[in-house]
């Protein structure tokens, strides 16, 4: 009996140790990331000529840091939206212009990141550029931030037009002095796009597509973008000259959360 007790004790200790190892190992076995439905494609595979400047993979956005879920600087869209965009691109290329996308499919986790940021009223590091005239406490009420986004359905995107040949846009340097997004072209952060009257993601009424203060070349550029896309089935959001949704949407009631990455399109 005395020989049996130590043996039992050793067996018990070993079992506890194995359970501890198993418990420690379980967090490392991360849940696999969701995959995109087969209806989603990489825009570059459909039209490699469209310029891509994916802002949310960088700190140059209204939050001031890379956004959750953007693993790679690539545009992912539903296939019908991508093919329609390709047709719009062909028409613009004949006129000496190219489309440039800022954002396409947006995972729900990115939208959640925006919501957390909007609720943190103390974080205003990018206010001077993106929302100088808007009190951050008003972002939800004024419709600039919401808990759901059409981007997460895969057929909505943000884009502009670039005159060819396209010159490079210099990179944003975190901490550099910020300038209002609605200022004159020469005073805003430089962008190789044509002058649309404001920068991308400018939280201001001047960003409304048909704002009467937008005239001349700025008006012509907005109309050129809207008309080229409308012919292919895209509908503009009146409050944002850069925001368009392809209709009819393949997933009108679905909000996806797979990361923006090539691997999201593989093994489906």
């Amino acid at each position: 009996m005395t020989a049996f007790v130590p043996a039992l004790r050793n067996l018990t200790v070993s079992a506890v140790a194995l359970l501890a190892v198993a418990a420690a190992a379980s967090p490392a076995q991360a849940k696999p990331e969701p995959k995109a439905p087969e209806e989603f494609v990489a825009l570059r595979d459909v039209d490699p000529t469209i310029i891509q400047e994916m802002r949310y993979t960088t700190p140059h956005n209204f939050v001031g840091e890379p956004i959750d879920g953007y693993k790679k600087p690539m545009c992912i869209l539903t296939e019908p939206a991508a093919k329609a965009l390709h047709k719009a691109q062909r028409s613009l290329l004949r006129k000496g212009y190219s489309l440039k996308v800022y954002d396409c499919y947006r995972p729900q986790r990115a939208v959640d990141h925006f919501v957390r940021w909007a609720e943190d009223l103390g974080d205003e590091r990018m206010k001077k550029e993106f929302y100088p005239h808007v009190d951050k406490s008003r972002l939800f009420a004024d419709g600039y931030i919401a808990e759901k986004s059409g981007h997460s359905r895969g057929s909505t995107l943000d884009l502009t037009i670039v005159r060819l040949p396209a010159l490079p846009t210099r990179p944003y340097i975190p901490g550099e002095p910020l300038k209002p997004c609605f200022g004159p072209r020469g005073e805003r952060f430089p962008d190789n796009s044509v002058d649309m009257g404001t920068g991308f993601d400018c939280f201001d009424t001047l960003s409304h597509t048909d704002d009467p203060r937008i005239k001349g070349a700025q008006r012509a550029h907005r109309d050129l973008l809207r008309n080229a896309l409308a012919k292919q089935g895209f509908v503009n959001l009146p409050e944002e000259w850069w925001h368009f949704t392809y209709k009819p949407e393949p997933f009108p009631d679905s909000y996806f959360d797979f990361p923006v990455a090539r691997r999201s399109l593989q093994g489906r």
Side-chain angles (χ1 to χ4, degrees), residues 1-7 9:
M1 191 68 176
T2 54
F4 176 73
V5 172
R9 183 182 299 114

Side-chain angles (χ1 to χ4, degrees), residues 24-197:
S26 58
Q29 299 172 354
K31 182 180 179 181
E33 289 281 17
K35 297 291 186 179
E38 61 182 11
E39 292 86 351
F40 281 78
V41 297
L43 176 61
R44 200 171 299 282
D45 293 343
V46 177
D47 192 324
T49 70
I50 296 175
I51 301 168
Q52 299 190 26
E53 185 182 317
M54 310 308 292
R55 285 286 186 88
Y56 297 140
T57 64
T58 78
H60 189 215
N61 57 67
F62 57 85
V63 176
E65 62 190 19
I67 304 303
D68 292 351
Y70 288 87
K71 304 295 186 182
K72 296 293 181 181
M74 63 182 294
C75 172
I76 295 176
L77 289 169
T78 58
E79 188 171 19
K83 288 183 175 179
L85 204 64
H86 167 64
K87 292 179 181 178
Q89 173 75 343
R90 286 192 301 180
S91 71
L92 287 168
L93 287 174
R94 290 192 289 268
K95 299 176 181 179
Y97 296 94
S98 172
L99 292 168
K100 179 173 81 168
V101 294
Y102 292 115
D103 189 36
C104 300
Y105 158 74
R106 180 185 304 165
Q108 181 60 44
R109 70 192 73 181
V111 179
D112 295 342
H113 191 164
F114 291 163
V115 170
R116 291 194 306 272
W117 165 80
E119 291 174 341
D120 181 3
L121 300 183
D123 182 356
E124 294 189 328
R125 72 187 99 163
M126 303 300 285
K127 179 178 176 62
K128 289 183 179 180
E129 178 173 353
F130 292 97
Y131 53 107
H133 288 168
V134 180
D135 191 301
K136 193 176 180 183
S137 65
R138 295 283 310 170
L139 293 181
F140 288 103
D142 291 349
Y144 293 112
I145 300 293
E147 294 183 352
K148 294 289 184 181
S149 169
H151 283 271
S152 301
R153 301 195 295 261
S155 297
T156 294
L157 70 162
D158 298 329
L159 72 171
T160 188
I161 291 176
V162 176
R163 182 75 184 182
L164 296 174
L167 299 175
T169 296
R170 75 163 178 85
Y172 165 75
I173 303 172
E176 70 175 87
L178 301 177
K179 299 178 181 179
C181 56
F182 49 71
R185 178 180 176 85
E187 298 178 12
R188 303 195 299 264
F189 183 86
D191 191 304
N192 63 356
S193 73
V194 298
D195 187 6
M196 292 289 190

Side-chain angles (χ1 to χ4, degrees), residues 209-247:
T209 308
D210 290 318
D211 188 286
R213 293 169 292 177
I214 298 297
K215 300 176 181 178
Q218 296 174 345
R219 166 58 50 205
H221 293 153
R222 291 191 184 189
D223 288 343
L224 177 62
L225 176 63
R226 179 167 53 181
N227 292 339
L229 293 177
K231 289 178 182 178
Q232 306 305 330
F234 288 92
V235 177
N236 174 242
L237 178 68
E239 291 78 19
E240 299 177 350
W241 60 257
W242 56 81
H243 182 115
F244 290 83
T245 299
Y246 177 74
K247 301 286 186 176

